[in-house]
Amino acid sequence: MIKVENLTKQFKKNVVLKNISLSIEQNEVIVVIGPSGGGKSTFLRCLNSLEKPTFGKIYFNDLDINDKNNDINKIREKISMVFQQFNLFPHKTALENIILAPIKLNIMNIEEATKRGIELLDLVGLSDKANEYPKNLSGGQKQRVAIARSLAMQPDVILFDEPTSALDPEMIKEVLDVMKGLVGKVTMIVVTHEMNFAKEVGTRLLFLDSGEVIEDSKPLAFFNDPQTDRAKSFLDKIL
Amino acid sequence: MILLDISKLYDFSFFFNQQVILDLISGLFCTLSIAFFGIIIGIIIGIILAIGKLVGNKFVRGVVTVYINFVRGTPLLLQLYMLYYVPAFIWHEMSGASLNWSNYIVGMLAVGLNSAAYVGEIFRAGINSVDKGQFEAASSLGFDYKTSLKLIIMPQAIKNILPALGNEFIALTKETAIISVIGARDLMFYSKQATAITYNPFTPLFMAGILYFIVVYSLTKGVSIIERKFAND
């Protein structure tokens, strides 16, 4: 579904990603972990072309997403993203946040989109917050609305960029629970520091450090028996 | 020996000079229309400048930057003279004929083109003040740049843009007085003329001052009403 070939990303002279190649299959739940500054977020942001690779190519369903001949906006309709800072639209209500894109991009008419939007709010447990503005929602509620918004486009892939890092501890679970509910329905790529989530839910784990994929394995195998010294020292520090 | 005839200082006799009053009123309309069209020119060209600076290629951005820096870095009076003399000079050198550009139009263009630089910066700064994450969220849903700007960014930027824009228009209205130096018949022009006719600097200038004040004060009030309305949304 997604194919990454020799992805290298530099900011000026600073090499953030070094020659990463891998492919991602449908309905995988990939957790990306590693130390801060290791390139996790940049890797994720390259997958929907929010960052352009310095070298290398990324294919989504065999389309080169950075090829000018392919409409990146059409591709992005199928690759949603959930951000650390939620990035809800503050001038729209929770429901409007969810239905804006499907309506304005002519995917659904207003009635369909509203019906689907209400279903999605129900799915994330916020039916009663449809008409609230983001400023009246807690962090966890905002992030759940953001997940509903990303689902509204019926994407094939959702990229989660540290979705719980900006949340108070007691709100992390409600967001992770919503994410667990999506397993098997959509391909998920999750940059996270939630090791229990990675262990429990991930079908595959990427350990990124200094811009390289150091380990690409099953989560349980990674946590129980890391193959590299760098992974071992990382796990020593966090567990 | 009387050194100073105090009574002359408050000689209001010209109030009864109908011609002077009519002149001042026509001057007021000239000032208002210059301000109005100056604002229109300022907004239209200002938006074009802002778009050029935000999405233009290197060349466009360079041209816009030079223009904005020039306008903001030199006196309006200089720009007015340049616009008044330079095109006429070039036209004369090239065709031998004289250029009959009305000083009203020149004044309006000078004020508008000057304001455009400030308006451009106001729009650019307003758009940049919106969190980058908003653009990213909009892009990640599949919106192109133009649609993101329209649906997501501008509704948020407008709160920052409006107060600054209102202040710019108030300043512009006052600065239109400068066009009297090229002979455009605005309020300033007629108040100076009345001074010359009546040998009385006090009353014409004071009356012009009151008229300017009424206009600018109403604008200030209007702007703050609009601001409050947007701040509440």
Side-chain angles (χ1 to χ4, degrees), chain A residues 91-122:
Chain A
H91 58 301
K92 304 275 180 197
T93 65
L95 182 62
E96 286 168 349
N97 261 279
I98 296 167
I99 65 179
L100 183 73
I103 292 172
K104 296 292 178 181
L105 295 168
N106 298 319
I107 312 264
M108 297 176 197
N109 63 33
I110 294 176
E111 291 78 39
E112 278 177 283
T114 307
K115 187 167 163 277
R116 171 109 179 105
I118 291 168
E119 284 168 14
L120 286 170
L121 275 173
D122 197 36

Short mmCIF file of all heavy atoms in Angstrom, two decimals, chain A residues 91-122:
data_model
loop_
_atom_site.label_atom_id
_atom_site.label_comp_id
_atom_site.label_asym_id
_atom_site.label_seq_id
_atom_site.Cartn_x
_atom_site.Cartn_y
_atom_site.Cartn_z
N HIS A 91 -12.71 27.85 14.70
CA HIS A 91 -13.92 28.60 14.36
C HIS A 91 -15.05 27.68 13.91
O HIS A 91 -16.08 28.15 13.43
CB HIS A 91 -13.60 29.63 13.28
CG HIS A 91 -13.03 29.03 12.02
ND1 HIS A 91 -11.88 28.28 12.00
CD2 HIS A 91 -13.46 29.07 10.75
CE1 HIS A 91 -11.63 27.89 10.76
NE2 HIS A 91 -12.58 28.35 9.99
N LYS A 92 -14.85 26.37 14.05
CA LYS A 92 -15.89 25.41 13.66
C LYS A 92 -16.23 24.54 14.87
O LYS A 92 -15.35 24.23 15.68
CB LYS A 92 -15.37 24.49 12.54
CG LYS A 92 -14.88 25.23 11.30
CD LYS A 92 -16.02 25.53 10.37
CE LYS A 92 -15.55 26.28 9.13
NZ LYS A 92 -16.65 26.92 8.43
N THR A 93 -17.49 24.12 14.93
CA THR A 93 -17.87 23.22 16.02
C THR A 93 -17.29 21.83 15.76
O THR A 93 -16.74 21.57 14.69
CB THR A 93 -19.40 23.07 16.11
OG1 THR A 93 -19.85 22.44 14.90
CG2 THR A 93 -20.10 24.41 16.26
N ALA A 94 -17.41 20.96 16.77
CA ALA A 94 -16.88 19.61 16.64
C ALA A 94 -17.43 18.94 15.37
O ALA A 94 -16.68 18.40 14.55
CB ALA A 94 -17.24 18.79 17.88
N LEU A 95 -18.75 19.02 15.20
CA LEU A 95 -19.37 18.38 14.03
C LEU A 95 -18.89 19.03 12.74
O LEU A 95 -18.54 18.35 11.76
CB LEU A 95 -20.90 18.45 14.14
CG LEU A 95 -21.67 17.77 13.01
CD1 LEU A 95 -21.36 16.27 12.96
CD2 LEU A 95 -23.17 17.98 13.16
N GLU A 96 -18.84 20.36 12.74
CA GLU A 96 -18.38 21.07 11.53
C GLU A 96 -16.95 20.72 11.17
O GLU A 96 -16.59 20.61 10.00
CB GLU A 96 -18.50 22.59 11.73
CG GLU A 96 -19.93 23.11 11.68
CD GLU A 96 -20.06 24.54 12.16
OE1 GLU A 96 -19.08 25.09 12.74
OE2 GLU A 96 -21.12 25.12 11.99
N ASN A 97 -16.10 20.55 12.21
CA ASN A 97 -14.73 20.12 11.96
C ASN A 97 -14.70 18.81 11.19
O ASN A 97 -13.89 18.62 10.30
CB ASN A 97 -14.00 19.93 13.30
CG ASN A 97 -13.14 21.12 13.67
OD1 ASN A 97 -12.02 21.26 13.18
ND2 ASN A 97 -13.68 21.99 14.50
N ILE A 98 -15.62 17.92 11.55
CA ILE A 98 -15.62 16.59 10.95
C ILE A 98 -16.17 16.61 9.53
O ILE A 98 -15.63 15.97 8.64
CB ILE A 98 -16.45 15.62 11.83
CG1 ILE A 98 -15.76 15.47 13.19
CG2 ILE A 98 -16.61 14.27 11.17
CD1 ILE A 98 -16.62 14.79 14.24
N ILE A 99 -17.22 17.41 9.30
CA ILE A 99 -17.90 17.31 8.00
C ILE A 99 -17.39 18.32 6.98
O ILE A 99 -17.77 18.25 5.81
CB ILE A 99 -19.44 17.48 8.17
CG1 ILE A 99 -19.79 18.89 8.66
CG2 ILE A 99 -19.99 16.42 9.10
CD1 ILE A 99 -21.28 19.12 8.81
N LEU A 100 -16.52 19.25 7.42
CA LEU A 100 -16.07 20.30 6.49
C LEU A 100 -15.42 19.71 5.23
O LEU A 100 -15.82 20.04 4.11
CB LEU A 100 -15.06 21.22 7.21
CG LEU A 100 -14.56 22.40 6.38
CD1 LEU A 100 -15.66 23.44 6.24
CD2 LEU A 100 -13.33 23.03 7.01
N ALA A 101 -14.44 18.84 5.44
CA ALA A 101 -13.70 18.32 4.29
C ALA A 101 -14.58 17.47 3.35
O ALA A 101 -14.59 17.70 2.14
CB ALA A 101 -12.46 17.56 4.75
N PRO A 102 -15.34 16.51 3.89
CA PRO A 102 -16.17 15.71 2.97
C PRO A 102 -17.13 16.56 2.15
O PRO A 102 -17.38 16.27 0.99
CB PRO A 102 -16.94 14.78 3.92
CG PRO A 102 -16.17 14.73 5.16
CD PRO A 102 -15.43 16.03 5.27
N ILE A 103 -17.65 17.63 2.75
CA ILE A 103 -18.59 18.48 2.00
C ILE A 103 -17.86 19.33 0.98
O ILE A 103 -18.19 19.33 -0.21
CB ILE A 103 -19.40 19.38 2.96
CG1 ILE A 103 -20.34 18.53 3.82
CG2 ILE A 103 -20.21 20.41 2.17
CD1 ILE A 103 -21.03 19.32 4.92
N LYS A 104 -16.84 20.04 1.45
CA LYS A 104 -16.16 21.00 0.56
C LYS A 104 -15.36 20.30 -0.54
O LYS A 104 -15.09 20.89 -1.58
CB LYS A 104 -15.24 21.92 1.36
CG LYS A 104 -15.98 22.81 2.35
CD LYS A 104 -16.83 23.86 1.63
CE LYS A 104 -17.60 24.70 2.62
NZ LYS A 104 -18.46 25.70 1.96
N LEU A 105 -14.96 19.08 -0.29
CA LEU A 105 -14.22 18.37 -1.33
C LEU A 105 -15.16 17.50 -2.18
O LEU A 105 -14.72 16.63 -2.93
CB LEU A 105 -13.12 17.51 -0.70
CG LEU A 105 -12.03 18.33 0.00
CD1 LEU A 105 -11.12 17.44 0.84
CD2 LEU A 105 -11.19 19.11 -1.01
N ASN A 106 -16.47 17.75 -2.01
CA ASN A 106 -17.49 17.10 -2.83
C ASN A 106 -17.47 15.58 -2.73
O ASN A 106 -17.68 14.87 -3.71
CB ASN A 106 -17.35 17.51 -4.30
CG ASN A 106 -17.57 18.99 -4.47
OD1 ASN A 106 -18.46 19.57 -3.83
ND2 ASN A 106 -16.76 19.61 -5.29
N ILE A 107 -17.15 15.07 -1.54
CA ILE A 107 -17.18 13.63 -1.34
C ILE A 107 -18.61 13.22 -0.95
O ILE A 107 -19.09 12.16 -1.34
CB ILE A 107 -16.22 13.22 -0.21
CG1 ILE A 107 -14.88 13.87 -0.41
CG2 ILE A 107 -16.15 11.71 -0.05
CD1 ILE A 107 -13.83 13.10 -1.09
N MET A 108 -19.26 14.06 -0.16
CA MET A 108 -20.63 13.76 0.29
C MET A 108 -21.44 15.05 0.24
O MET A 108 -20.88 16.14 0.28
CB MET A 108 -20.63 13.30 1.75
CG MET A 108 -19.88 12.02 2.01
SD MET A 108 -19.87 11.70 3.80
CE MET A 108 -18.56 10.52 3.91
N ASN A 109 -22.77 14.91 0.18
CA ASN A 109 -23.59 16.10 0.34
C ASN A 109 -23.79 16.37 1.84
O ASN A 109 -23.39 15.57 2.68
CB ASN A 109 -24.91 15.98 -0.41
CG ASN A 109 -25.78 14.85 0.13
OD1 ASN A 109 -25.75 14.56 1.33
ND2 ASN A 109 -26.53 14.20 -0.75
N ILE A 110 -24.42 17.49 2.13
CA ILE A 110 -24.49 17.91 3.53
C ILE A 110 -25.20 16.89 4.40
O ILE A 110 -24.75 16.57 5.51
CB ILE A 110 -25.17 19.30 3.64
CG1 ILE A 110 -24.28 20.34 2.96
CG2 ILE A 110 -25.41 19.69 5.10
CD1 ILE A 110 -24.87 21.73 2.92
N GLU A 111 -26.33 16.32 3.90
CA GLU A 111 -27.10 15.37 4.72
C GLU A 111 -26.28 14.13 5.03
O GLU A 111 -26.19 13.70 6.19
CB GLU A 111 -28.40 14.95 4.01
CG GLU A 111 -29.44 16.05 3.89
CD GLU A 111 -29.13 17.04 2.78
OE1 GLU A 111 -28.64 16.60 1.70
OE2 GLU A 111 -29.35 18.25 2.96
N GLU A 112 -25.67 13.57 3.98
CA GLU A 112 -24.85 12.36 4.17
C GLU A 112 -23.72 12.63 5.15
O GLU A 112 -23.49 11.85 6.09
CB GLU A 112 -24.19 11.97 2.84
CG GLU A 112 -25.03 11.17 1.89
CD GLU A 112 -24.22 10.96 0.62
OE1 GLU A 112 -24.12 11.91 -0.20
OE2 GLU A 112 -23.68 9.86 0.45
N ALA A 113 -23.03 13.77 4.92
CA ALA A 113 -21.87 14.08 5.74
C ALA A 113 -22.28 14.27 7.20
O ALA A 113 -21.60 13.79 8.11
CB ALA A 113 -21.16 15.32 5.22
N THR A 114 -23.41 14.96 7.39
CA THR A 114 -23.86 15.19 8.76
C THR A 114 -24.20 13.87 9.44
O THR A 114 -23.85 13.63 10.60
CB THR A 114 -25.09 16.12 8.76
OG1 THR A 114 -24.76 17.29 8.01
CG2 THR A 114 -25.47 16.53 10.16
N LYS A 115 -24.89 13.01 8.71
CA LYS A 115 -25.26 11.71 9.27
C LYS A 115 -24.01 10.93 9.66
O LYS A 115 -23.90 10.41 10.77
CB LYS A 115 -26.07 10.93 8.21
CG LYS A 115 -26.67 9.64 8.70
CD LYS A 115 -27.71 9.12 7.70
CE LYS A 115 -28.01 7.64 7.95
NZ LYS A 115 -27.02 6.74 7.31
N ARG A 116 -23.05 10.92 8.74
CA ARG A 116 -21.80 10.21 9.00
C ARG A 116 -21.03 10.88 10.14
O ARG A 116 -20.44 10.19 10.99
CB ARG A 116 -20.97 10.19 7.71
CG ARG A 116 -19.57 9.70 7.85
CD ARG A 116 -19.37 8.33 7.19
NE ARG A 116 -17.98 7.90 7.33
CZ ARG A 116 -17.57 6.97 8.18
NH1 ARG A 116 -18.44 6.34 8.93
NH2 ARG A 116 -16.30 6.62 8.27
N GLY A 117 -21.05 12.22 10.16
CA GLY A 117 -20.36 12.96 11.21
C GLY A 117 -20.89 12.60 12.58
O GLY A 117 -20.13 12.40 13.54
N ILE A 118 -22.22 12.48 12.68
CA ILE A 118 -22.83 12.14 13.97
C ILE A 118 -22.46 10.71 14.37
O ILE A 118 -22.16 10.43 15.53
CB ILE A 118 -24.36 12.35 13.90
CG1 ILE A 118 -24.65 13.85 13.82
CG2 ILE A 118 -25.06 11.74 15.11
CD1 ILE A 118 -26.07 14.21 13.46
N GLU A 119 -22.43 9.81 13.37
CA GLU A 119 -22.00 8.44 13.65
C GLU A 119 -20.57 8.40 14.19
O GLU A 119 -20.26 7.68 15.14
CB GLU A 119 -22.05 7.58 12.37
CG GLU A 119 -23.46 7.16 11.96
CD GLU A 119 -23.46 6.57 10.55
OE1 GLU A 119 -22.38 6.26 10.02
OE2 GLU A 119 -24.57 6.46 9.97
N LEU A 120 -19.72 9.22 13.55
CA LEU A 120 -18.32 9.23 13.97
C LEU A 120 -18.16 9.80 15.37
O LEU A 120 -17.36 9.30 16.17
CB LEU A 120 -17.47 10.04 12.97
CG LEU A 120 -17.21 9.33 11.64
CD1 LEU A 120 -16.60 10.28 10.63
CD2 LEU A 120 -16.30 8.13 11.84
N LEU A 121 -18.93 10.86 15.66
CA LEU A 121 -18.89 11.41 17.03
C LEU A 121 -19.32 10.36 18.03
O LEU A 121 -18.78 10.26 19.13
CB LEU A 121 -19.78 12.65 17.12
CG LEU A 121 -19.14 13.96 16.68
CD1 LEU A 121 -20.17 15.07 16.65
CD2 LEU A 121 -17.98 14.34 17.60
N ASP A 122 -20.30 9.57 17.64
CA ASP A 122 -20.78 8.49 18.49
C ASP A 122 -19.67 7.46 18.70
O ASP A 122 -19.43 7.00 19.80
CB ASP A 122 -22.01 7.86 17.83
CG ASP A 122 -22.79 7.03 18.83
OD1 ASP A 122 -22.85 7.45 20.00
OD2 ASP A 122 -23.31 5.97 18.44
#
